[in-house]
Amino acid sequence: MPTPTSVPDVLPAAVLWDMDGTLIDTEPYWMAAETELVEAHGGTWRHEDALALIGSELLSSAEVLRARGVDLPAEQIVDFLIDRVADEVRREVPWQPGAFELLTDLADAGVPCALVTMSYRRLADVLVAAAPAGVFGAVVAGDDVTHGKPHPEAYLTAARQLGVDVRTCVAVEDSPTGIASALASQARTIGVETMLPVAPEPGLSRVTSLADLGVGDLARIAHGSVLDLIGPARPAG
């Protein structure tokens, strides 16, 4: 993992972080909870079905599960999923490689951070409590916004809460839905290819791991550089 040897002269105004799949590897937890719920109602839930929900607003995901036979109100489905995932995260936070270290480096450098997630606040709070002390100056969760990702509301709200111009921030995402949200907000955006392919787009930086990033990289991206460590020849699947 890259460790900065000095603080860059011009730091990002803030770094805005997606949570599930980006900072923590919770997607298998969500998939397991979805599978449990669908199968309990007599249905079948495939891996491909679960992949299609990554990054989605939770009530929208609940309606997909209802359409697959889960005979519960959408709000009750969301509560079930969040409770299952939160229980797993409380047992052990599944940090993505390099995530905790990069958050620590940003805190040490005095760079404000926000958590921007479509998970609800009671799950986001579990992550915040496990993160480096004081690193998150704002949290925008799925139950805080009117429009979920891919709408830019969550990222715009996070920048406003931090008192910074979103165009001077770096947003870090792992899903097509989240990347679309971040780009629509006009934040400088990094796509981390964890579970889903990250397709090239103009202005989008791409990496395969947060362990490939340092504070200096984030500073350069914030000020207009595009970092692509995947490249156009990488297979899509």
Side-chain angles (χ1 to χ4, degrees):
M1 184 200 75
T3 301
T5 56
S6 61
V7 176
D9 291 335
V10 184
L11 292 164
V15 181
L16 314 176
W17 293 93
D18 174 56
M19 183 174 73
D20 296 291
T22 299
L23 282 173
I24 52 177
D25 185 19
T26 48
E27 298 301 353
Y29 299 162
W30 290 104
M31 292 177 175
E34 293 156 7
T35 301
E36 178 184 350
L37 195 55
V38 172
E39 291 183 350
H41 287 259
T44 300
W45 191 246
R46 301 171 304 164
H47 182 68
E48 292 77 10
D49 299 323
L51 288 176
L53 295 189
I54 291 177
S56 298
E57 193 270 335
L58 283 173
L59 286 173
S60 297
S61 296
E63 291 300 337
V64 174
L65 295 177
R66 280 170 51 81
R68 297 296 292 271
V70 178
D71 187 19
L72 295 171
E75 293 81 3
Q76 191 171 336
I77 292 172
V78 169
D79 286 342
F80 175 89
L81 297 175
I82 291 174
D83 288 345
R84 281 287 193 273
V85 176
D87 286 346
E88 294 291 341
V89 175
R90 286 189 191 98
R91 274 191 279 273
E92 182 178 2
V93 179
W95 292 104
Q96 292 284 20
F100 191 90
E101 294 83 355
L102 185 51
L103 288 174
T104 300
D105 290 342
L106 288 166
D108 290 345
V111 177
C113 289
L115 191 64
V116 184
T117 176
M118 289 298 93
S119 290
Y120 284 8
R121 183 167 288 270
R122 67 181 186 272
L123 177 53
D125 286 346
V126 177
L127 184 280
V128 171
V135 68
F136 290 113
V139 176
V140 178
D143 47 347
D144 296 328
V145 296
T146 303
H147 305 289
K149 300 174 184 177
H151 194 280
E153 179 186 349
Y155 279 104
L156 295 172
T157 301
R160 185 169 63 251
Q161 289 184 4
L162 291 175
V164 296
D165 185 339
V166 72
R167 294 171 295 181
T168 65
C169 297
V170 176
V172 191
E173 276 281 359
D174 74 306
S175 71
T177 301
I179 289 168
S181 172
L183 288 172
S185 77
Q186 299 188 61
R188 302 286 184 178
T189 303
I190 302 172
V192 187
E193 190 168 279
T194 54
M195 187 164 284
L196 294 175
V198 176
E201 295 189 47
L204 176 66
S205 293
R206 301 189 301 159
V207 298
T208 56
S209 172
L210 295 177
D212 295 332
L213 293 173
V215 175
D217 298 312
L218 296 175
R220 288 186 286 275
I221 291 168
H223 292 90
S225 294
V226 175
L227 176 67
D228 194 337
L229 299 184
I230 296 177
R234 184 179 175 85

